Amino acid sequence: MTQISPQPGIMDITLYQGGAANVPGLENVVKLSSNENPLGPCDAAAEAFRRASYSLHRYPSSDHAPLRRAIGEVLDLDPDRIICGAGSDEIIAFLCQAYAGPDTEVVHTEHGFGMYRINALAAGATPVEVKERERVTDVDALLAACTEKTRLVFMANPNNPTGTMIGTAEVARLAAGLPQGALLVLDGAYAEYVEGYDGGAALVDSRDNVVMTRTFSKIHGLGGLRIGWGYGPKHVIDVLNRVRGPFNVSQAALNAAEAAIRDTAYLAHCRVENARWRGWMADALAEIGVPSDVSCTNFVLARFASAQEASDCNDHLTAQGLLVRPVGSYKLPQCLRITVGDEASCRRVVHVIRQFKEGPADDTNL
Ligand SMILES: *Cc1c(COP(=O)(O)O)cnc(C)c1O
């Protein structure tokens, strides 16, 4: 008997590797591998989640109107052009399902988020990887890679795992230069970490070929609930809603996200704390010979002398119960991506890396 075969592209997918969450035999591990907010969600979001436990037998809202309205109010966006998904991952999947397919191309940056390639392949499209310039998105290279087969161009700004970002004028130049029939997808998973940055919302408003994705998983501290959203031209949102399941996100997630988006003071607090410890960690690492690019996110991409040194350091960290993210699969084998944790975690990770760099002998002031 011959086995049933999946659609073309699917067997080319390499399984997504999430950040490690535990070390066998160790308790109290510090997880700095998935860019989670160490402070967690705001109190109002946690309370909204608990309240949802009284209505677990009810199907959730299918139009997500209250959450879309709240996002619209807080960020001054048109709620009719917002779509909510089970994480922004689902919005990325909708985009690929709706616009990409066999004999089309999906462009993404060299060190871009792994889900772009996975969803392109799942849709039967051909992923096209475009070189960056020293870990920074290269608009000219992206434009040069576009053909009449290009349907989607994905870039995260700021980007994961590099932490770098490019300016609004450069992004606008990319959007303006895309071929007819291609959409620019601006992944704004880390947009809130950049004070005063709209994630590309104004560019969405001024054009008909730009979509922005956002998430509640990062600064809002709700990664466990799976809720994100997209903002785009009316014609795109109309298409995405046709492939979206009616009950794709839970009521608990909708309610918690609504509370989270309205708590702008908590968000500002998280941004300030993150910037403070990010700066401290990057400086402390640089002092011990581990440089990084200036990060616009909630992680630092620490660069080691070689892939071997990064791997050895990762082993050393893991043995001490500190989980960071090796990024060899992002073509950065000489780097480790370290999420900005709370003060204690930042101090601990720097201490252990210093220990690794300087050897065990000099370990007198624990
Ligand atoms: C974390 C992250 C996401 C968000 O994923 P969710 O599905 O919303 O949890 C999207 N894009 C990038 C670049 C990310 O790092």
Side-chain angles (χ1 to χ4, degrees):
M1 205 177 89
T2 48
Q3 267 186 350
I4 187 169
S5 307
Q7 290 292 307
I10 290 178
M11 295 312 289
D12 300 326
I13 295 172
T14 310
L15 290 188
Y16 182 84
Q17 298 252 337
N22 41 54
V23 187
L26 280 190
E27 278 171 43
N28 301 323
V29 298
V30 175
K31 189 179 178 220
L32 303 174
S33 56
S34 296
N35 299 342
E36 295 150 342
N37 182 343
L39 307 177
C42 65
D43 292 342
E47 177 56 26
F49 177 79
R50 281 190 292 269
R51 266 201 318 275
S53 73
Y54 297 109
S55 314
L56 294 179
H57 56 304
R58 302 288 182 205
Y59 272 95
S61 149
S62 68
D63 66 5
H64 314 145
L67 176 57
R68 291 189 294 105
R69 211 177 305 124
I71 295 170
E73 275 170 35
V74 173
L75 301 180
D76 195 20
L77 305 177
D78 176 3
D80 289 339
R81 293 190 286 122
I82 293 172
I83 180 171
C84 302
S88 49
D89 280 359
E90 197 184 27
I91 309 296
I92 295 167
F94 291 159
L95 284 160
C96 288
Q97 189 188 346
Y99 292 107
D103 210 34
T104 71
E105 294 172 352
V106 172
V107 172
H108 63 85
T109 54
E110 182 182 8
H111 310 301
F113 189 45
M115 294 309 294
Y116 310 147
R117 177 184 166 83
I118 289 177
N119 282 293
L121 287 169
T126 305
V128 177
E129 180 186 299
V130 175
K131 281 261 181 271
E132 298 185 25
R133 229 175 338 92
E134 299 274 312
R135 300 170 303 280
V136 179
T137 297
D138 182 341
V139 166
D140 291 309
L142 284 170
L143 288 171
C146 288
T147 71
E148 77 282 357
K149 292 190 174 181
T150 306
R151 294 295 174 272
L152 298 167
V153 177
F154 281 101
M155 68 164 286
N157 203 37
N159 187 47
N160 170 23
T162 58
T164 62
M165 78 183 290
I166 62 170
T168 309
E170 276 293 273
V171 180
R173 186 164 75 81
L174 176 58
L178 290 190
Q180 287 274 327
L183 276 180
L184 173 63
V185 184
L186 287 176
D187 182 334
Y190 301 94
E192 299 86 354
Y193 289 103
V194 183
E195 192 174 1
Y197 175 52
D198 72 354
L203 191 64
V204 172
D205 284 337
S206 69
R207 305 194 54 91
D208 67 358
N209 68 343
V210 182
V211 179
M212 169 179 78
T213 62
R214 301 286 287 266
T215 184
F216 285 95
S217 302
K218 303 287 158 57
I219 204 165
H220 291 293
L222 293 172
L225 279 186
R226 312 308 305 129
I227 179 105
W229 52 283
Y231 184 60
K234 189 90 192 82
H235 73 100
V236 172
I237 299 303
D238 176 54
V239 165
L240 301 185
N241 269 319
R242 288 164 199 262
V243 299
R244 176 177 72 79
F247 308 115
N248 60 322
V249 292
S250 72
Q251 195 62 48
L254 289 164
N255 293 356
E258 186 181 341
I261 196 85
R262 291 193 188 280
D263 196 341
T264 54
Y266 183 71
L267 182 132
H269 168 70
C270 293
R271 179 175 52 229
V272 168
E273 280 297 293
N274 176 75
R276 176 168 175 215
W277 292 106
R278 177 182 66 201
W280 181 86
M281 187 161 75
D283 289 350
L285 289 174
E287 261 173 45
I288 54 175
V290 182
S292 55
D293 301 312
V294 172
S295 170
C296 302
T297 60
N298 67 338
F299 56 84
V300 167
L301 185 70
R303 282 204 311 280
F304 291 82
S306 65
Q308 187 61 52
E309 192 192 27
S311 167
D312 291 346
C313 185
N314 185 52
D315 290 346
H316 185 73
L317 286 162
T318 305
Q320 309 276 321
L322 284 157
L323 298 174
V324 303
R325 183 68 162 269
V327 279
S329 64
Y330 286 93
K331 305 214 151 103
L332 294 161
Q334 75 284 25
C335 298
L336 295 176
R337 192 192 70 190
I338 308 171
T339 302
V340 178
D342 58 12
E343 173 176 356
S345 309
C346 289
R347 290 191 184 279
R348 209 170 133 196
V349 80
V350 167
H351 174 78
V352 173
I353 294 176
R354 183 184 293 119
Q355 209 178 43
F356 167 81
K357 290 289 278 189
E358 294 171 359
D362 182 27
D363 194 23
T364 42
N365 42 16
L366 262 173

